[in-house]
Amino acid sequence: MAWADLRAFLAHLERRKDLRRISVPVDPRLEVTEIVTRVVRERGPALLFESPRGADMPLAINLFGTEARMAAALGVDRLDEIGDRLAALLRPELPTGLSGLRDALGKAASLTSIPPRRVRTAPCQDVVLKGPDVDLFRLPGVHAWPNDGGAFLNLGLTHTRHPETGARNLGMYRLQRHDARTVGMHWQIHKDSNAHHAVAERRGERLPVAIAFGCDPAVTYAASAPLPADIDEYLFAGYLRGERVEMVDCLSVPLRVPANAQIVLEGWLEPGARLPEGPFGDHTGFYTPVEPFPALHVDVMTMQRDPVFQTIVVGRPPQEDGPMGKATERIFRPLIKMMIPEIVDYDLPEAGVFHNCCIVSIDKRFPKHAQKVMNAVWGAGLLSLSKLIVVVDADCDVHDYAEVAWRAFGNVDYAHDLITTIGPVDHLDHASYEQFWGGKIGVDATRKLPTEGYRREGGWPEEIVMDEAVRAQVTRRWKEYGL
């Protein structure tokens, strides 16, 4: 099901007793982070701080903090349901018989809900503040960690257009509040909005920007999804929702934003405008250093009446962005399998902050198949930033880290089963000796074939497995044992 807006999802969580209202005043500087971190680690509820100090609106956080809530945010019971639906849509077989034709027509019909729809008026423009009336301090920006450079407005949905092609991009980047009317735009080197800005600067032009906060969950997630540059995030959001996203024209920039957003900031980036941004305690668990980033001057601020500000705390895992990353892993599995068909499943461990490690299981069919898959993964979109790839056989559950470790520790001859290479790494990676690129490693933890040079007598040893009849017998008699 599609949530009409953020409030509808909050109401759903409250009905499920999965939302906790905190009525006492709480300081967005550090105190919110400590509360949220403890709640996330206990897999606790979403939180609504009704009286954040220094702001005049409530603060919603940890809405996506468990896989169950993340699935509910996208209208499903399990995150894999979306991936399964996408796989069925992408399946290339021609329809067979009447039932096959009916299925094919059903798939086509599901696409009619995708394109966004323009509306003339919208709740996000109920209140309009212009010029000197704009005040970003009304928003409960969170100063998350002691050495942060200030308060950050996280979970903002940043809208830009390519200055030459007009292609729209929706991205999610951290936003440092520099003053009452200025925010820093931390869009990294690999991001599409950064490319839009680079083209505008090369042409000597201003770049229009609109930032929306508190959108419906599918739109918020779509902003974080690693989509190819030629796929519109609002088409993807419409697919996730099963309904078209309503959008409204901004008041001062030639862009459109979600009609049901809680708050929208509009402004222009002047060519060459930069301010020091950071430090920032990031999802790596370390502070990222101060760097110059574009600074947006906000000309117009619109909002709903009595808006709710939604944000997120990032830091050393686990944090709320963990289930968001897991959603990406599950939803995009069919696309990864289309690019690399021998992949059975994959897992991006949260402790590896989703780009430090990728575990892949494959249907191994020929010598050095694992190494072929490693190189394919290093060429697949943002998976190219993976620093460690561990390849296991198809019968290994990639989500069972003890099972993966048993294979990786025991099935590897490190003189023969490793690949080391150099390639791009995440902008935030602090371990690489040079920014943006560094060393990578691939580990082949599959069973080795004689044709791969494994010529020991008897071949690869048989794995110890209990007789199935005995297992079934013990299961039947378990209570008799008194255990």
Side-chain angles (χ1 to χ4, degrees):
M1 66 176 293
W3 303 109
D5 56 15
L6 175 64
R7 291 182 184 277
F9 184 54
L10 288 170
H12 168 76
L13 294 179
E14 193 155 33
R15 285 193 299 271
R16 287 179 46 179
K17 301 188 185 307
D18 204 10
L19 174 73
R20 185 72 51 81
R21 292 176 178 267
I22 299 176
S23 59
V24 298
V26 174
D27 196 339
R29 187 182 190 283
L30 305 184
E31 189 177 6
V32 164
T33 301
E34 181 62 17
I35 294 169
V36 171
T37 298
R38 295 187 189 192
V39 171
V40 168
R41 291 178 181 175
E42 294 173 357
R43 300 180 182 272
L47 302 174
L48 185 65
F49 294 99
E50 296 181 313
S51 303
R53 288 199 180 101
D56 62 1
M57 63 187 70
L59 170 65
I61 200 165
N62 198 33
L63 271 60
F64 307 141
T66 65
E67 285 189 39
R69 271 204 305 278
M70 188 70 242
L74 299 180
V76 294
D77 294 324
R78 298 180 306 107
L79 292 171
D80 278 298
E81 291 179 35
I82 301 172
D84 293 344
R85 196 171 83 217
L86 189 59
L89 187 66
L90 296 172
R91 195 169 293 136
E93 296 94 339
L94 291 173
T96 302
L98 290 176
S99 62
L101 181 60
R102 184 171 60 249
D103 290 345
L105 291 174
K107 292 178 188 178
S110 72
L111 299 179
T112 62
S113 64
I114 286 181
R117 177 173 55 228
R118 179 176 175 266
V119 296
R120 294 184 179 277
T121 60
C124 70
Q125 295 175 347
D126 284 346
V127 178
V128 178
L129 304 173
K130 297 182 178 181
D133 292 330
V134 172
D135 184 5
L136 299 179
F137 288 98
R138 295 183 64 177
L139 309 179
V142 172
H143 186 131
W145 304 103
N147 293 337
D148 279 357
F152 286 79
L153 309 175
N154 295 329
L155 224 61
L157 279 57
T158 298
H159 300 72
T160 59
R161 282 191 181 275
H162 193 288
E164 294 174 345
T165 68
R168 173 172 54 204
N169 184 65
L170 174 65
M172 185 178 291
Y173 318 108
R174 75 183 192 226
L175 306 161
Q176 183 171 355
R177 185 173 60 197
H178 291 305
D179 57 41
R181 295 185 60 188
T182 310
V183 290
M185 310 294 300
H186 188 276
W187 43 42
Q188 301 161 20
I189 190 172
H190 304 109
K191 306 300 185 180
D192 293 329
S193 288
N194 179 67
H196 291 184
H197 185 232
V199 172
E201 288 201 313
R202 188 177 70 240
R203 293 161 58 102
E205 298 173 356
R206 300 189 302 167
L207 183 74
V209 177
I211 306 169
F213 296 92
C215 300
D216 86 71
V219 172
T220 297
Y221 169 73
S224 74
L227 295 170
D230 57 348
I231 296 181
D232 182 50
E233 286 82 6
Y234 279 102
L235 296 180
F236 183 57
Y239 175 76
L240 292 175
R241 302 176 83 248
E243 293 181 10
R244 300 168 71 179
V245 178
E246 292 188 343
M247 304 188 71
V248 68
D249 292 338
C250 290
L251 301 181
S252 64
V253 293
L255 297 168
R256 289 177 184 166
V257 291
N260 289 314
Q262 297 291 307
I263 301 139
V264 177
L265 310 179
E266 303 176 10
W268 297 82
L269 279 175
E270 300 291 339
R274 301 286 193 281
L275 283 176
E277 195 268 0
F280 179 74
D282 221 310
H283 68 276
T284 61
F286 295 86
Y287 288 100
T288 52
V290 175
E291 294 182 87
F293 274 95
L296 178 71
H297 188 73
V298 180
D299 298 315
V300 175
M301 178 176 175
T302 70
M303 63 184 76
Q304 295 194 22
R305 293 184 180 86
D306 302 318
V308 175
F309 182 75
Q310 184 184 3
T311 192
I312 189 173
V313 166
V314 298
R316 180 173 175 171
Q319 292 288 354
E320 184 180 351
D321 56 351
M324 296 178 71
K326 184 58 68 173
T328 294
E329 174 198 292
R330 296 292 87 200
I331 290 170
F332 286 88
R333 176 173 171 259
L335 297 179
I336 299 301
K337 287 171 65 69
M338 280 190 68
M339 291 187 288
I340 314 171
E342 52 268 75
I343 287 181
V344 175
D345 202 355
Y346 78 120
D347 185 277
L348 305 174
E350 183 179 0
V353 295
F354 299 103
H355 52 72
N356 285 340
C357 179
C358 178
I359 304 167
V360 182
S361 60
I362 66 168
D363 181 13
K364 184 174 178 177
R365 294 184 290 107
F366 50 79
K368 299 300 179 183
H369 199 164
Q371 286 78 358
K372 181 261 187 187
V373 169
M374 293 172 196
N375 285 294
V377 171
W378 279 321
L382 287 179
L383 283 177
S384 65
L385 304 180
S386 301
K387 296 203 299 181
L388 168 64
I389 300 175
V390 179
V391 183
V392 294
D393 288 298
D395 62 348
C396 178
D397 180 358
V398 294
H399 311 297
D400 183 342
Y401 298 151
E403 172 77 5
V404 171
W406 181 67
R407 309 260 183 150
F409 297 162
N411 284 5
V412 179
D413 178 340
Y414 295 102
H416 298 91
D417 301 334
L418 300 184
I419 284 182
T420 59
T421 187
I422 293 174
V425 298
D426 188 81
H427 188 124
L428 303 176
D429 187 84
H430 62 280
S432 57
Y433 283 40
E434 298 288 340
Q435 193 173 31
F436 308 132
W437 63 273
K440 298 161 177 266
I441 191 168
V443 179
D444 178 2
T446 62
R447 300 177 183 90
K448 305 309 182 298
L449 306 172
T451 47
E452 293 177 297
Y454 189 86
R455 297 188 175 89
R456 292 176 61 174
E457 186 176 352
W460 193 262
E462 182 181 357
E463 191 176 312
I464 300 170
V465 179
M466 178 52 68
D467 182 81
E468 279 299 322
V470 173
R471 294 186 64 186
Q473 174 184 311
V474 169
T475 299
R476 287 194 305 270
R477 299 188 58 194
W478 188 254
K479 290 184 179 179
E480 296 179 34
Y481 306 140
L483 296 175

